[in-house]
């Protein structure tokens, strides 16, 4: 890794996201590294996430006075520094000391929301106590209705603004990097217990949730217009377009490729969020131009944490912000509302898309 330095620099010395990725690579052991970057089976979905983003080019407008740019986002009525969310990550503790609490601190310091995964250490109460930040809670269903209701109560009691069910994990996929490397996640046995409840989930549970609870509901892992339509009919507040970063169903479409059909189906009746392969400011701008309200970052956030803990993630977000603001200005936009699909055009990727095609200097 030519960009990795012998002595880790102070996080403020990272001038590019590429250096952060190189530092993370140098700091992680092979097992956690493969777990982080890998996907399901042939990893075609992982690459398609990047391919879909790399297949969009910009159509810039000029002479529009971009001396003042507002790149802030919204999260359930609250202003955030960027329209970006820390996506839920199980086992964050493998990438940084403090795990989910470290991610919460970075989110609070920078000013974006965190979605906490139910298979993360420390758990709900301790993570909530670690920092005052905007947050949502994501659950893998491992029990009956009463078990789910208890998690909702705990999330509500601890100030979570919304509840998320991840729905692209009916079965746990075959992650071949982990299998080949004989990497067994320390929390795997715990996370697998009761997996039958997740497999048995149906729209009935979504209806039950909406009838019983008043916390906004996010469905994460919607990948078709048909399911987006059902989500809207069930009164779901957020349709979160995701394929789990290509870690679940192999041979899926890239999320940026399915976003347009979902946006035109939802027609503003729910918010549409997206994740999957978002590594650069330009990627975020593309998703918002297509109509997404918030973009989740998964691996990139873990790389920031692995590079240098809380300050490493904060620096990652600062660099992402700089890229976003540069891109907005060069497109002739001073706010997200000015972006439209007319700022985009179809184009061929210039390099073979994969997780790291966003970092050509690595
Ligand atoms: C190491 C790792 C662990 C993850 N754990 C969870 C999880 O516990 N719950 C969940 O809904 N998604 C989980 N995801 C998926 C992310 O929330 C997100 O959908 C995905 O990482 C987005 O793609 P990206 O990594 O290319 O940004 C995980 C992803 C990674 C990389």
């Amino acid at each position: 890794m030519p960009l990795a330095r012998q002595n880790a620099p102070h996080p403020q010395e990272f001038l590019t996201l590429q250096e952060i990725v190189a530092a993370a690579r140098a700091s992680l052991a092979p097992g956690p590294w493969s777990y982080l970057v890998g996907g399901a089976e042939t990893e075609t979905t992982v690459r398609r996430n990047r391919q879909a983003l790399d297949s969009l080019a910009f159509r810039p407008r000029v002479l529009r006075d971009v001396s003042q740019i507002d790149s802030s986002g919204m999260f359930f009525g609250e202003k955030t520094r960027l329209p970006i969310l820390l996506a839920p990550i199980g086992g964050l503790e493998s990438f940084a000391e403090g795990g989910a609490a470290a991610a919460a601190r970075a989110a609070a310091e920078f000013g974006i929301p965190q979605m906490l995964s139910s298979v993360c250490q420390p758990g709900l109460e301790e993570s909530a106590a670690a920092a005052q930040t905007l947050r949502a809670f994501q659950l893998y269903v491992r029990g009956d209705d009463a078990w789910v209701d208890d998690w909702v109560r705990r999330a509500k009691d601890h100030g979570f603004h919304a509840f998320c069910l991840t729905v692209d994990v009916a079965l746990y996929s075959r992650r071949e990097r982990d299998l080949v490397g004989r990497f067994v996640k320390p929390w795997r046995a715990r996370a697998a217990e009761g997996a039958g409840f997740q497999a048995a989930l149906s729209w009935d549970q979504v209806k039950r949730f909406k009838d019983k609870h008043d916390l906004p509901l996010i469905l994460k892992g919607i990948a078709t217009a048909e399911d987006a339509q059902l989500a809207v009919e069930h009164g779901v507040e957020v349709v979160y377009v995701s394929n789990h970063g290509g870690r679940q169903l192999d041979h899926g479409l890239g999320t940026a490729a399915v976003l347009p059909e979902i946006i035109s189906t939802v027609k503003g009746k729910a918010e549409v969020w997206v994740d999957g392969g978002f590594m650069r400011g330009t990627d975020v701008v593309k998703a918002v131009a297509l109509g997404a309200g918030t973009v989740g970052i998964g691996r990139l956030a873990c790389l920031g944490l692995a590079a240098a803990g809380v300050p490493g993630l904060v620096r990652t977000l600062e660099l992402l912000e700089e890229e976003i603001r540069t891109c907005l200005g060069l497109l002739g936009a001073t706010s997200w509302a000015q972006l439209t699909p007319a700022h985009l055009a179809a184009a061929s990727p210039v390099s073979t898309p994969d997780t790291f095609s966003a970092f050509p200097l690595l």
Side-chain angles (χ1 to χ4, degrees):
M1 251 308 124
L3 285 180
R5 305 243 201 112
Q6 292 255 296
N7 300 311
H10 185 276
Q12 286 304 320
E13 288 177 34
F14 290 125
L15 298 183
T16 67
L17 291 173
Q18 314 216 42
E19 291 161 83
I20 289 180
V21 177
R25 177 72 190 95
S27 83
L28 286 176
W33 174 257
S34 295
Y35 167 63
L36 174 61
V37 302
E41 300 180 17
T42 66
E43 300 187 348
T44 297
T45 311
V46 178
R47 287 195 292 277
R48 287 227 179 96
N49 278 338
R50 281 303 320 166
Q51 186 180 39
L53 287 164
D54 291 348
S55 301
L56 293 169
F58 287 116
R59 299 181 66 248
R61 303 298 306 275
V62 296
L63 294 170
R64 300 200 155 225
D65 184 358
V66 293
S67 49
Q68 302 289 326
I69 294 173
D70 176 4
S71 53
S72 62
M74 292 297 279
F75 182 78
F76 298 105
E78 307 268 352
K79 197 167 168 172
T80 62
R81 183 157 156 191
L82 289 175
I84 286 185
L85 165 86
L86 298 186
I89 300 290
L92 263 177
E93 61 278 13
S94 317
F95 308 120
E97 207 174 304
R105 280 188 210 106
E109 185 177 332
F110 184 81
I112 56 161
Q114 176 200 26
M115 191 184 281
L116 176 67
S117 162
S118 57
V119 289
C120 217
Q121 294 300 320
L124 187 153
E125 285 76 9
E126 220 179 303
S127 292
Q132 196 66 35
T133 187
L134 297 169
R135 45 174 40 113
F137 185 78
Q138 176 267 322
L139 186 71
Y140 283 142
V141 177
R142 296 287 184 264
D144 60 11
D145 291 346
W147 184 89
V148 172
D149 291 346
D150 193 52
W151 279 103
V152 180
R153 179 193 56 75
R154 288 167 63 192
K156 235 174 132 172
D157 287 353
H158 289 85
F160 287 77
H161 297 73
F163 203 83
C164 172
L165 293 175
T166 295
V167 293
D168 56 12
V169 286
L171 300 177
Y172 189 77
S173 66
R174 293 179 52 78
R175 315 257 173 100
E176 297 201 358
R177 289 189 200 222
D178 296 347
L179 293 169
V180 168
R182 303 295 187 268
F183 176 66
V184 181
K185 297 179 285 181
W187 63 96
R188 177 80 186 109
R190 179 170 30 96
E193 230 170 79
F197 287 100
Q198 182 87 33
L201 276 190
S202 73
W203 289 98
D204 292 346
Q205 274 83 16
V206 176
K207 177 169 185 330
R208 194 195 74 85
F209 186 104
K210 290 304 301 171
D211 288 346
K212 174 141 194 176
H213 299 295
D214 55 4
L215 260 192
L217 180 62
I218 302 161
L219 287 189
K220 176 172 180 283
I222 299 292
T224 59
E226 294 89 324
D227 281 342
Q229 175 65 31
L230 282 167
V232 167
E233 286 168 13
H234 281 76
V236 164
E237 278 79 4
V238 178
V239 172
Y240 191 152
V241 180
S242 175
N243 52 32
H244 220 102
R247 298 162 76 81
Q248 280 297 111
L249 178 67
D250 198 15
H251 286 276
L253 286 168
T255 51
V258 295
L259 203 46
E261 72 177 54
I262 290 182
I263 298 278
S264 64
T265 300
V266 169
K267 293 195 187 74
K269 291 185 205 123
E271 277 198 48
V272 178
W273 298 358
V274 67
D275 72 20
F278 288 82
M279 293 286 180
R280 292 296 197 139
T282 45
D283 301 333
V284 175
V285 173
K286 288 174 186 180
V288 177
L290 289 172
T294 295
V295 172
I297 54 166
R299 292 183 182 85
L300 182 63
C302 299
L303 292 163
L305 281 174
V310 175
L313 178 48
V314 170
R315 184 67 185 142
T316 301
L317 293 165
E318 287 171 357
L319 291 169
L320 202 56
E321 180 179 48
E322 209 171 311
E323 290 186 354
I324 285 172
R325 293 175 69 82
T326 304
C327 180
L328 281 175
L330 292 177
L331 284 178
T334 56
S335 73
W336 296 109
Q338 292 172 6
L339 286 183
T340 73
H343 286 100
L344 301 173
S348 304
V350 296
S351 54
T352 308
D354 68 32
T355 304
F356 296 105
S357 54
F359 307 110
L361 300 186
L362 289 184

